[in-house]
Amino acid sequence: MAKDTLSITDNRTGKSYELPIKDGTIKTADLRQIRVDEHDFGLMGYDPAFLNTANCRSAITFIDGDKGILEYRGYPIEQLAEKASYLEVAYLLLVGELPNRKQLDDFVYTVTHHTYVHENIKSYMDGFRFNAHPMSMLAATVAALSSFYPEAKNIKDAQNRRIQQIRMVAKMPTIAAFSFRHSMGLPYIYPNNDLSFVGNFLAMIKKIGTDTYKVNPVLEHALEVLFILHADHEQNCSTTAVRLVGSSQVDPFSAIAAGITALYGPLHGGANEAVLRMLRGIGHVNKVPDFIKEVKEGEAETRLMGFGHRVYKSYDPRAKVIKRVADEVFEVTGKSPLLDIALELERIALQDDYFVKRKLYPNVDFYSGLIYEALGFPSDFFTVLFAIPRTVGWVAQWEEMVLDQEQKIARPRQIYTGAKRRDYIPFDKR
Ligand code: CMC
């Protein structure tokens, strides 16, 4: 009869072991009993970059990379992007269920009334150089929030945790907008409680020389959809950073700051910025075949940025929604000349053996940069536009980690490859 176990024979010793299989996984800690003798530490799993290691149980986001499925708390991303607001999705991720009208109104009220930052944050941000990257400013300022809310380190208290989560979600657009204004040499604009979450963010970015700012509803909606698409993506590099740092029981602001720095990298959230650099570098549709050749030949380790994904081995479902949003945005703003280059890259790559064989499809970042540019954002701000909505995913994952009885401080093992024990050599003998 079939059993949910794995039988292993260790050919070094001839001994056999039976390990339980639960949810399609074995516990790697169960391998430790497999030893050649009593001095042996026991068998370990070797898995650089966690290619095949589940680090947690999670009930937040489901991805089927082969089928191109993404769901938040069971709801398909396509439905949420079409029908929900960003704060409705934020509530869903944080609480686990969609809010009823009253719950949503209360949540929106609470978030709206936590958007202000301490005045000292402004002077703190004034200290950055005029050309500081907005992601560096964001990471440093979010880390600094822990000094403004020392009670945040009391992570055992559920109510205390919730208020810090709300603060994070609510203040992120304010800090992001301040970092934008700083790099533009413009005065900071305070949040306006009469505006929507996205509308207020855009006003804090764009307002110059007027008390009112009228945001185009198509563009506001486009950014809201992008925020929904970026709200969570299970155990990616930045979320794992938040969980690993958070596992030391540090306050959530410090843990989220780690997530922001992880997101900054060009292989993660920095890819949308890299896509625009790549498109500009290609310069013209005619040059696309040469560029594809360069990528395939691996010259200068060029990659087709915005293509490929560790989990999706078919079209990223977020990229599909984004392509539709891009059409709506370009109706209003006029088409970006880079769009033709992107479409041609996609067309060629999707029928080229190199990309087909490796299952490389457009990911969320391939078209998002073009939309951000059409909305008037400079490319070094794109990753910030990813970090704002991802904050709710990070805090939801952090909360889950804090409550998970199976979690402990993260501490991987290593395979030591260095020198064997040797004696210190004095300078005159080296
Ligand atoms: N262009 C050209 N070749 C690629 C690309 C690409 N964008 N991505 C992967 N490959 C090749 C890679 O060279 C390797 O080929 P080979 O087997 O011949 O050595 C094969 O495909 C597998 O690549 P990998 O690096 O082992 O795959 P990974 O799962 O470690 O990397 C990735 C995933 C996203 C880092 C990678 O696809 C990549 O660098 N893409 C470009 C950067 C990018 O768009 N990142 C955004 C990711 S989505 C947003 C997010 O979640 O943050």
Side-chain angles (χ1 to χ4, degrees), residues 49 51 230 233 236-238 262-263 265-272 274-275 278 291-292 295-296 298 301-313 316 318 354-355 357-366 386 390:
L51 288 174
H230 285 90
H233 211 233
N236 51 77
C237 177
S238 56
L263 189 69
L267 295 189
H268 192 6
N272 49 21
V275 169
M278 173 188 76
F291 180 77
I292 294 270
V295 169
K296 284 165 42 179
E301 297 195 1
T302 311
R303 285 201 163 194
L304 178 47
M305 298 310 286
F307 257 67
H309 200 276
R310 172 64 59 77
V311 180
Y312 293 119
K313 299 302 169 197
D316 181 337
R318 301 169 299 173
Y354 176 95
F355 297 92
K357 255 207 326 242
R358 289 170 179 78
K359 300 189 175 170
L360 301 170
Y361 294 86
N363 60 47
V364 69
D365 288 320
F366 194 62
F386 189 155
R390 179 55 57 87

Side-chain angles (χ1 to χ4, degrees), residues 85-87 112 115 173 177 189-207 211-217 219-225 227 377 388:
S85 66
Y86 173 71
L87 285 184
T112 306
T115 48
I189 301 288
Y190 288 111
N192 179 342
N193 290 358
D194 297 329
L195 299 175
S196 71
F197 186 81
V198 175
N200 170 51
F201 169 63
L202 284 170
M204 287 190 291
I205 293 280
K206 304 262 179 184
K207 221 155 77 171
D211 280 343
T212 53
Y213 167 73
K214 273 245 163 304
V215 54
N216 181 308
L219 304 186
E220 183 178 354
H221 174 252
L223 194 57
E224 178 125 29
V225 171
F227 276 10
F377 291 106
I388 296 169

Side-chain angles (χ1 to χ4, degrees), residues 372-402:
Y372 295 145
E373 191 185 57
L375 295 178
F377 291 106
S379 50
D380 66 357
F381 199 68
F382 292 175
T383 317
V384 174
L385 294 165
F386 189 155
I388 296 169
R390 179 55 57 87
T391 301
V392 75
W394 288 329
V395 294
Q397 299 269 352
W398 173 80
E399 170 85 7
E400 199 177 53
M401 185 272 306
V402 169

Side-chain angles (χ1 to χ4, degrees), residues 99-129:
N100 62 29
R101 174 56 58 197
K102 159 104 178 52
Q103 287 166 329
L104 180 61
D105 289 348
D106 289 350
F107 185 68
V108 171
Y109 182 91
T110 313
V111 170
T112 306
H113 288 81
H114 279 90
T115 48
Y116 268 60
V117 290
H118 194 288
E119 282 291 286
N120 288 4
I121 289 280
K122 286 198 319 189
S123 27
Y124 176 84
M125 294 190 78
D126 277 340
F128 290 113
R129 272 193 92 203

